[in-house]
Amino acid sequence: MTQTKNQHDYFGQLDGIRAIAVGLVLIDHWLAERNTLPLGSLGVAMFFVLSGFLIIRILMLGKEKDDAIGRSHWFTVKQFIVRRTIRIFPIYYLALFLLFIFDVPNIRATIGWSLLYSTNFYIAIYHKWIGVIDHLWSLAVEEQFYLFFPYLILFLPKKYFTKLFVGMIALSLGLRLLLFFLHADWTAQYVLMPTCLDSFGLGGVLAYLFTYKRDTIFKQLDKNSYLFLSLALYIGYIVALKMDVHHGFTYVVLDRLFGSIFSFFLILRAVSGFGGVMKFCLENPVTTYIGRISYGLYLYHNFVYNFYHTNFPTHPTVRILHKLQQFAPTITHRFAFELLVYATLTVLVATLSWFLVEKPVNNLKKYFNY
C-alpha cells in the first residue's frame, strides 16, 4: 500500500546522524597521518545514503502528489531545483568568492572546476588533490546526482523503482571493479559520481521501503539485530583492510559498499526512532545543533584548518593561539589543543554562516513547498 498520508514526516534523529557523519569527516581530516581508520570515507558514505533517502523520498512524494492532482511532473522538477539551489549554492559560492579574493593557494588555478561543481573530475583526471578545497569533491558528486536523478524518479513508472536502485548499486560496484582491474588511479574509483551510486541506491531502497512498504519489509528490517550485523560486517571489512595493500582492492572496491550498508541500517533505525542511550545521543541539543549546521561545518572545516595550520603562520590570530598553547596541560599535548582550536573555530564560523546567511536564505523555501 502506498503510504503518502504522512508527507511531512519529521525525522528528528537524522540531525544526530548528520552530526556523526560530519564528525567522522572532521576527525579523519584533522588527525591526518595519526589516524589509520577510514573514518572520513564512512562519514561521506553516511552523507550519501542520507541524501539518497531524503532526496528520493521528496521526489517520490512529489510524484504521488502530481499524479493525485493531475499536475505535470515538470512542476515538481522546478520546485526541486529551486529548493536545492536555495539550500546549497549561497555559502558554497560565497566561500569560493572569498577564497578567490584572498588568493588562497590552488583556488584561482582551479576556479572553473569549482564553479561548475566538477572538482571530482579534476581529481580523477589529474590524479591529485587540490589542497584547501579537496573536500569539495563530495559536494560535486551530490550536485551531479541532483542534475539527473529527479527525472528518473518522476518520469519512471513506480514499478521499476526497485530495479533502478539495485541497478545503481550494481553499476557502481561494477565500475569500481572495472577501474581496479584496468589499474586506474584509485582516486577515480573514489570521487566519480557513478562510482558513488551504491550509496545513493541504498538510500533509494530505504526511501522506497519507508514510503511504500512501511508496514511490511521496512518494519521487518527495523531491528537492532540487523544494525549490529551490519556493524559486524563493517568491522570485518576494517580487519580485511588492515591486511590489504595501501589503496588495494579492499579499499577502492569494497569500502563504500560496506560503509553504505552500515549507514543504511543506522539511518533506518534513526528514521523509526532509537530509544535509550542512542535516543539521547541523537536528540540532545548539542548533537541536534551540530547536525543542523553540518553543511557549514563540512564546507568550512578545511579552510579553518589550513588557515591555522599551514597558510598563515604569521597572522596575529594564529600567533595568539600559538602563545596560548603554553598554558595547555602537559597531558593534553599540543595537538590536542590544536584539535580543540580547530573544532571551536569551525563551529563558530559555521554558526555565523547559519544565522547570517543559511537560515535567512532557507526561509525562502517556504515559498516553494510541494
Side-chain angles (χ1 to χ4, degrees), residues 18-270:
R18 292 186 182 95
I20 293 173
V22 77
L24 290 171
V25 173
L26 269 57
I27 291 172
D28 183 82
H29 288 176
W30 290 342
L31 289 180
E33 291 80 11
R34 292 174 171 85
N35 170 56
T36 61
L37 298 175
L39 301 180
S41 59
L42 175 59
V44 169
M46 203 172 291
F47 271 127
F48 285 167
V49 176
L50 183 58
S51 290
F53 167 67
L54 292 173
I55 294 303
I56 293 171
R57 175 164 161 75
I58 287 172
L59 293 168
M60 286 176 174
L61 295 178
K63 181 184 180 74
E64 293 286 333
K65 186 170 183 179
D66 292 342
D67 291 339
I69 65 177
R71 184 175 65 189
S72 169
H73 292 321
W74 289 106
F75 177 86
T76 300
V77 169
K78 181 184 71 173
Q79 296 281 59
F80 175 81
I81 293 173
V82 170
R83 290 172 63 86
R84 285 289 88 196
T85 298
I86 289 172
R87 179 66 187 103
I88 295 172
F89 283 8
I91 64 169
Y92 178 86
Y93 285 111
L94 175 62
L96 289 181
F97 173 76
L98 293 175
L99 293 171
F100 186 89
I101 291 297
F102 291 108
D103 195 16
V104 173
N106 296 326
I107 299 301
R108 295 187 178 182
T110 59
I111 190 63
W113 300 88
S114 302
L115 290 174
L116 295 175
Y117 274 93
S118 56
T119 51
N120 60 330
F121 290 141
Y122 178 93
I123 293 167
I125 292 170
Y126 294 105
H127 306 157
K128 63 180 182 180
W129 298 90
I130 322 176
V132 71
I133 56 171
D134 283 345
H135 61 302
L136 298 188
W137 74 267
S138 63
L139 301 182
V141 166
E142 295 222 19
E143 186 61 27
Q144 291 157 21
F145 177 74
Y146 299 154
L147 284 177
F148 82 93
F149 204 77
Y151 307 100
L152 291 179
I153 292 296
L154 292 172
F155 295 101
L156 189 70
K158 186 172 66 176
K159 63 181 180 180
Y160 296 117
F161 282 175
T162 53
K163 293 180 180 178
L164 170 65
F165 302 138
V166 172
M168 290 167 61
I169 297 168
L171 173 64
S172 182
L173 185 60
L175 285 173
R176 294 203 298 272
L177 273 170
L178 177 63
L179 290 170
F180 177 80
F181 287 120
L182 291 176
H183 302 290
D185 187 82
W186 72 273
T187 53
Q189 292 99 306
Y190 191 70
V191 303
L192 292 177
M193 186 273 290
T195 62
C196 299
L197 284 177
D198 48 347
S199 298
F200 293 104
L202 281 166
V205 171
L206 183 55
Y208 179 84
L209 295 179
F210 185 80
T211 305
Y212 302 114
K213 305 290 183 180
R214 195 184 309 185
D215 294 329
T216 54
I217 302 175
F218 182 90
K219 188 175 180 180
Q220 294 166 15
L221 294 175
D222 184 21
K223 296 180 175 63
N224 286 333
S225 57
Y226 289 105
L227 175 60
F228 293 144
L229 177 60
S230 68
L231 177 59
L233 287 173
Y234 186 73
I235 293 172
Y237 152 75
I238 295 294
V239 173
L241 180 64
K242 294 296 183 181
M243 301 169 62
D244 198 4
V245 297
H246 183 62
H247 291 149
F249 175 87
T250 306
Y251 181 74
V252 299
V253 177
L254 300 180
D255 178 79
R256 184 164 287 123
L257 178 63
F258 281 95
S260 297
I261 292 172
F262 170 64
S263 299
F264 172 92
F265 285 102
L266 179 66
I267 294 168
L268 188 153
R269 290 290 293 115

Side-chain angles (χ1 to χ4, degrees), residues 335-354:
F335 187 70
F337 181 83
E338 288 188 359
L339 281 179
L340 178 62
V341 170
Y342 303 154
T344 302
L345 291 179
T346 303
V347 170
L348 177 60
V349 172
T351 295
L352 292 174
S353 172
W354 173 254

